[in-house]
Amino acid sequence: MAETRKLPRRLLITICIGALLGGFGGWLGSTKLRTPRPSEPAESARNHTGGSRYADYAVWQRLTSAGEKALQAGKSEEAERLFLSALREAEKFGQRDPRLLLTLHKLSDVYRTMGKYAQADSFDKRIEAFEQRY
């Protein structure tokens, strides 16, 4: 009777080891460890949202933070300039990136604060289109 209990346990252990080794083998063969073929683009050249790898989060963050500080200090023109720069940086992340949406909202707010309602409305239309697409 003891032998029949050991067989399923051994089988279970064998299956688990096989699954672990198979999973590890799949991981080793993944695109992260192999070099791309000449006919396929390098995956590392794009981020998960389709933007360029050269988009820099730190630059976007610095511009956005400085724009918020300028807006709070009542320096609307400076905030506009900073948020427009942040927008150019956010567009590098890809059209589906939430940083783009956040930057569009910030610019819309700046233009409303400045009384430039037509420009604010144009950003509101971009925001609406973004939200409908994604």
Side-chain angles (χ1 to χ4, degrees), residues 29 48 54:
H48 68 283
Y54 300 111

Side-chain angles (χ1 to χ4, degrees), residues 38-101:
S39 62
E40 63 188 28
E43 184 179 333
S44 62
R46 303 192 73 72
N47 68 17
H48 68 283
T49 58
S52 169
R53 70 177 166 159
Y54 300 111
D56 190 353
Y57 173 78
V59 171
W60 174 83
Q61 182 64 44
R62 181 179 48 78
L63 290 167
T64 302
S65 295
E68 289 171 351
K69 288 177 185 174
L71 189 58
Q72 290 172 354
K75 300 176 182 177
S76 299
E77 290 79 17
E78 183 181 347
E80 175 189 17
R81 181 184 58 78
L82 289 164
F83 284 131
L84 285 171
S85 295
L87 178 63
R88 283 189 292 277
E89 196 65 32
E91 287 171 337
K92 293 177 187 177
F93 291 111
Q95 293 301 311
R96 299 180 69 176
D97 195 273
R99 290 168 284 211
L100 177 60
L101 181 62

